[in-house]
Amino acid sequence: MDHLKEKTLHSEKLFSGRIIDLYLEDVELPNGKTSKREIIKHPGAVAVIAVTEENKIIMVRQYRKAMERNLVEIPAGKLEKGEEPIVTAKRELQEETGYTCDELEPLISFYTSPGFADELVHVFIAKGLRKDTEEHQLDEDEFVDLLEVSLEEALELIDKKEIYDAKTAYAVQYLQMQTLFRK
Amino acid sequence: MDHLKEKTLHSEKLFSGRIIDLYLEDVELPNGKTSKREIIKHPGAVAVIAVTEENKIIMVRQYRKAMERNLVEIPAGKLEKGEEPIVTAKRELQEETGYTCDELEPLISFYTSPGFADELVHVFIAKGLRKDTEEHQLDEDEFVDLLEVSLEEALELIDKKEIYDAKTAYAVQYLQMQTLFRK
């Protein structure tokens, strides 16, 4: 399927950040013409679907500077360099929520914004979840509220646009589908 | 819920592109300390779930430069300035696939990468879909293959990581759930 390929003629790194890098690329299109592509490189991230024995979904509310507002999301975090996604997922779950789990089962991975970014999110399901006795420990620039919500409450939070991001919408829809399967 | 808010101390625009802008911001955290935020501003986008009378999902395969590979996605496109999402959705569907529809029903909107970007994707469902007689007309830097796949084929494409982005994964899961509802 090389008839769609865009060939890199020139790539310039315009910004190197703590989380993202920005590249501006000149490309040759399949018809021989040229164009520019604005590309964000991101280390990737993990997200965890964690449901308690009482059938409550564990969520975190946090301030998202890009939108200048709070969002309610499933626990998530970016990959550290060289770290296996499953290791990041276990750590982020514990740090953000104070919960640990016996097992993390990979559910799906997806690119979040393929039009301009290479961020890949790996979604896991936590099995054998339990509240840790230790305090949860956040990164020093991370402030979150812990929430435990039923599926019905999660659907209401989607209606109210408090849950308002792709990975969490996917997770809630997944749990909704599991409920249908059981019926 | 102002206890999570991050106050902007300084905001600098580092890049202004055709699709994205990059800002570097100094913020004051809830505990009074400061940190930096890397923020991508994006005009937002639309995506369309379009299913033919033969129960085939309309998809497009295109080269995604950020990943250096082809992806199979539901038809989508970025918002033009001042354009209503539903207008963009109707146009993108026709331009990318050659299909028109009687109605576009809003399904859900979500932020794709809330950790660093404000891109909001509005997902619509096309009703009264029909193949247009006119040729479909792509942007001059846009090259796509048109695909029509069954739900089963879409699930296989997810397994093969050819469908590999959040909005399309959400759309396929949505159609899977609708099928369960009907059973």
Side-chain angles (χ1 to χ4, degrees), chain A residues 119-132:
Chain A
E119 183 194 27
L120 183 64
V121 174
H122 306 274
V123 184
F124 294 90
I125 301 174
K127 304 272 179 185
L129 193 70
R130 56 178 178 277
K131 190 80 184 174
D132 204 343

Side-chain angles (χ1 to χ4, degrees), chain A residues 46 75-78 88-97 142:
Chain A
V46 297
K78 78 174 171 66
T88 316
K90 193 150 199 153
R91 180 169 47 76
E92 286 290 342
L93 179 67
Q94 187 175 10
E95 286 180 0
E96 285 197 347
T97 73
E142 203 174 27

Side-chain angles (χ1 to χ4, degrees), chain B residues 6-178:
Chain B
E6 298 175 357
K7 200 178 138 194
T8 309
L9 300 175
H10 181 74
S11 176
E12 191 181 358
K13 193 182 205 171
L14 297 185
F15 173 74
S16 183
R18 205 165 50 108
I19 293 167
I20 55 173
D21 296 335
L22 168 66
Y23 291 81
L24 187 58
E25 304 197 337
D26 295 310
V27 301
E28 186 183 308
L29 300 172
N31 64 359
K33 294 192 178 177
T34 58
S35 189
K36 287 192 184 292
R37 296 285 177 239
E38 299 154 14
I39 308 281
I40 296 295
K41 295 279 179 183
H42 184 284
V46 296
V48 181
I49 300 177
V51 180
T52 68
E53 279 187 3
E54 295 76 34
N55 264 321
K56 297 292 176 92
I57 314 162
I58 297 173
M59 303 249 178
V60 292
R61 180 186 289 116
Q62 62 190 309
Y63 194 75
R64 291 304 205 173
K65 193 68 181 68
M67 279 70 75
E68 300 286 5
R69 55 163 292 190
N70 293 329
L71 289 181
V72 174
E73 299 169 44
I74 56 171
K78 78 174 172 66
L79 287 177
E80 298 299 327
K81 213 177 169 171
E83 194 175 48
E84 283 295 316
I86 199 164
V87 175
T88 317
K90 193 150 198 152
R91 181 169 47 76
E92 286 290 342
L93 179 67
Q94 187 175 10
E95 286 180 0
E96 285 197 348
T97 72
Y99 277 89
T100 54
C101 64
D102 292 331
E103 207 187 328
L104 283 167
E105 194 178 279
L107 174 64
I108 191 170
S109 301
F110 41 62
Y111 292 108
T112 54
S113 302
F116 68 93
D118 73 343
E119 183 193 28
L120 183 64
V121 174
H122 305 274
V123 184
F124 293 90
I125 301 175
K127 305 273 178 182
L129 193 71
R130 56 178 177 276
K131 190 81 184 173
D132 205 343
T133 47
E134 297 169 55
E135 278 286 294
H136 56 129
Q137 206 170 353
L138 296 162
D139 289 345
E140 63 171 12
D141 65 348
E142 203 174 26
F143 297 83
V144 309
D145 286 346
L146 186 63
L147 279 80
E148 300 188 6
V149 301
S150 67
L151 179 58
E152 291 66 33
E153 287 166 332
L155 292 168
E156 282 168 28
L157 288 172
I158 288 177
D159 278 344
K160 292 197 277 180
K161 298 184 189 301
E162 290 185 45
I163 290 177
Y164 207 13
D165 78 293
K167 66 179 177 307
T168 308
Y170 184 91
V172 171
Q173 189 174 246
Y174 171 79
L175 294 171
Q176 201 179 2
M177 195 166 64
Q178 296 304 303

Side-chain angles (χ1 to χ4, degrees), chain A residues 4-107:
Chain A
L4 300 169
K5 191 173 164 67
E6 298 176 358
K7 200 178 140 195
T8 309
L9 301 174
H10 181 73
S11 176
E12 189 181 359
K13 193 182 205 171
L14 297 186
F15 174 74
S16 184
R18 206 165 48 109
I19 294 167
I20 56 173
D21 296 337
L22 168 67
Y23 291 81
L24 187 59
E25 304 197 336
D26 295 310
V27 301
E28 185 183 307
L29 301 172
N31 64 359
K33 294 191 178 176
T34 58
S35 189
K36 286 192 185 291
R37 296 285 177 239
E38 298 153 14
I39 308 279
I40 296 295
K41 295 279 179 183
H42 184 285
V46 297
V48 181
I49 300 177
V51 180
T52 67
E53 280 187 4
E54 295 77 32
N55 264 321
K56 298 292 176 94
I57 314 163
I58 297 173
M59 302 250 178
V60 292
R61 180 186 289 116
Q62 63 189 309
Y63 193 75
R64 290 305 205 173
K65 194 69 181 66
M67 279 70 75
E68 299 287 6
R69 54 164 292 189
N70 292 330
L71 289 180
V72 174
E73 300 168 43
I74 56 172
K78 78 174 171 66
L79 287 177
E80 299 298 327
K81 213 176 169 169
E83 194 175 47
E84 283 295 316
I86 200 165
V87 176
T88 316
K90 193 150 199 153
R91 180 169 47 76
E92 286 290 342
L93 179 67
Q94 187 175 10
E95 286 180 0
E96 285 197 347
T97 73
Y99 276 89
T100 54
C101 64
D102 292 331
E103 207 186 327
L104 283 166
E105 194 178 280
L107 174 64

